Amino acid sequence: MTPAQRCPLCRQTFFCGRGHVYSRKHQRQLKAALERLLPQVEAARKAIRAAQVERYVPEHERCCWCLCCGCEVRKHLSHGNLTVLHGGLLEHLASPEHKKATNKFWWENKAEVQMKEKFLISPQEYARFKKSMVKGLDSYEEKEDEVIKEMAAQIREVEQSRQEMVRSVLEPQAVPDPEEGSSAPGSWKGTNSHVASSSQQPSYLDLPPAPELDWMETGQPLTFIGHQDIPGLGNIHSGATPPWMVQDEEYISENQQIGPSYEEFLKEKEKQKLKKLPPDRVGANFDHSSSTSAGWLPSFGRVWNNGRRWQSRHQFKTEAAARNKQQSHKEKS
């Protein structure tokens, strides 16, 4: 009888010897497996003439399954922060180990001979890929240099605009001409004298009320709606208490405790413990705060002890064990 053999493509055990590889099912499974691998090999062949170099991303760690070698192969070739697309698969297809495994796979599975060359890369083709890879690396470096130069120019422009803005702020303001800046000739002198007198005054509370100006004299279409100060309250400029420091009307003394007290917390905690106990237990409705006489008989536990019945049972067992132990000692003595 022919020994049992297992076909990895069909995923079954057969007993017909070498005749299984000629069956329709095996040839159909072989063709489907090769067609799944063929698009990846064709995409790698396109990269021989024009290698693509990109910045490394985690997606470049993907692997593909080599049907001939029966192992996973890295699809791309990465080094540092650069990745050569399809470089790992081309390197594997050009290796002598892959060529040897492909010949063995084609012989064992009786695949079409014309398709074998599609899954192999000659040394000449791999050398051409190396040259294109060098060109791709050079072009990638040139693009990166251009991007760096553009970013540096943008940074210089931003820095220059920032310096100009700071310089414009720090430059001293030009003193306005008194003849052009006011409608009356003596208004500039009056303003200077008012500033000098205000600098000698002790506080803002002693300042005289500012005169209301006629806003229509300057020719601007503005309307003066009057001062908005609330009488009797003042503001922070006049020495009044800031609004965020004023206490609310509903403010209560600081000594009042916020939230429940510690005793209420303990009571609530005890209630939560009692809720976990069975409601129909003995003594569930007993009021521990009620006053009872010395002759009152409790309805739970032992007669003159507080506790539950399971505690009484343990007490009886402990006492019985102690009595038995004493009796055994007496008998031995």
Side-chain angles (χ1 to χ4, degrees):
M1 182 178 180
T2 307
Q5 297 181 3
R6 179 169 179 79
C7 179
L9 292 176
C10 303
R11 297 181 181 179
Q12 69 177 14
T13 303
F14 57 91
F15 299 91
C16 56
R18 294 287 300 171
H20 170 75
V21 297
Y22 299 99
S23 63
R24 292 182 179 179
K25 181 179 180 180
H26 179 80
Q27 292 297 325
R28 185 170 59 251
Q29 294 290 341
L30 176 63
K31 185 178 180 181
L34 293 177
E35 288 178 354
R36 286 194 299 267
L37 180 60
L38 185 60
Q40 301 181 18
V41 177
E42 291 179 350
R45 282 185 175 277
K46 293 180 181 179
I48 293 177
R49 295 182 179 180
Q52 298 180 4
V53 181
E54 294 182 358
R55 185 177 294 274
Y56 171 78
V57 293
E59 295 180 357
H60 293 158
E61 295 292 338
R62 292 181 178 178
C63 299
C64 62
W65 181 261
C66 180
L67 188 64
C68 302
C69 302
C71 63
E72 284 189 345
V73 181
R74 290 189 60 179
K75 193 172 182 180
H76 307 292
L77 187 62
S78 302
H79 180 72
N81 59 345
L82 299 179
T83 300
V84 181
L85 299 184
H86 306 288
L89 183 57
L90 287 174
E91 183 180 6
H92 174 74
L93 295 178
S95 62
E97 292 82 6
H98 174 75
K99 184 177 181 180
K100 183 178 180 180
T102 302
N103 294 331
K104 182 180 179 182
F105 179 83
W106 246 254
W107 172 259
E108 291 180 351
N109 294 277
K110 303 303 178 184
E112 298 181 6
V113 182
Q114 295 80 5
M115 293 185 63
K116 184 169 68 172
E117 296 299 327
K118 296 181 180 180
F119 295 90
L120 295 175
I121 300 295
S122 62
Q124 294 78 11
E125 291 176 336
Y126 189 66
R128 194 186 312 162
F129 169 71
K130 286 182 178 180
K131 294 180 181 179
S132 64
M133 183 174 59
V134 173
K135 294 181 181 179
L137 290 173
D138 295 339
S139 61
Y140 178 81
E141 290 178 357
E142 292 177 358
K143 292 180 181 178
E144 286 293 320
D145 293 340
E146 293 178 359
V147 172
I148 292 173
K149 290 179 181 178
E150 292 178 358
M151 293 176 63
Q154 293 178 359
I155 292 172
R156 282 194 295 268
E157 291 178 0
V158 173
E159 183 66 20
Q160 185 177 0
S161 62
R162 186 185 67 83
Q163 291 179 359
E164 291 178 356
M165 182 178 61
V166 173
R167 192 181 302 111
S168 63
V169 172
L170 296 179
E171 284 181 354
Q173 298 290 338
V175 179
D177 191 358
E179 296 180 357
E180 298 179 358
S182 61
S183 58
S187 60
W188 180 253
K189 296 180 181 179
T191 306
N192 291 340
S193 61
H194 177 68
V195 172
S197 61
S198 63
S199 62
Q200 297 175 0
Q201 293 179 358
S203 64
Y204 293 96
L205 297 177
D206 299 333
L207 289 174
E212 297 183 1
L213 301 176
D214 190 0
W215 296 95
M216 299 305 294
E217 292 181 359
T218 58
Q220 299 179 0
L222 301 176
T223 303
F224 182 68
I225 60 175
H227 297 289
Q228 301 299 315
D229 295 338
I230 302 175
L233 295 180
N235 51 30
I236 58 175
H237 302 289
S238 60
T241 305
W244 55 86
M245 299 294 293
V246 178
Q247 298 180 355
D248 298 335
E249 297 179 357
E250 300 178 356
Y251 179 76
I252 312 174
S253 62
E254 298 180 357
N255 296 330
Q256 182 177 0
Q257 187 177 3
I258 300 175
S261 61
Y262 183 68
E263 292 76 8
E264 294 177 354
F265 169 72
L266 293 179
K267 291 180 181 179
E268 184 65 23
K269 189 176 180 181
E270 191 66 24
K271 289 181 181 179
Q272 295 297 331
K273 287 183 179 180
L274 294 177
K275 286 182 180 179
K276 296 180 181 179
L277 299 176
D280 299 333
R281 68 185 186 280
V282 178
N285 299 326
F286 176 70
D287 186 9
H288 293 274
S289 61
S290 61
S291 59
T292 55
S293 61
W296 177 77
L297 183 64
S299 59
F300 57 91
R302 299 183 69 175
V303 179
W304 303 115
N305 292 334
N306 293 329
R308 301 184 181 91
R309 289 186 174 179
W310 66 269
Q311 295 176 345
S312 303
R313 183 172 66 255
H314 286 287
Q315 291 176 1
F316 279 119
K317 289 182 179 180
T318 304
E319 294 174 0
R323 286 196 299 268
N324 295 335
K325 190 174 182 180
Q326 291 178 0
Q327 291 178 2
S328 61
H329 281 294
K330 291 179 180 179
E331 292 176 358
K332 289 180 179 180
S333 60

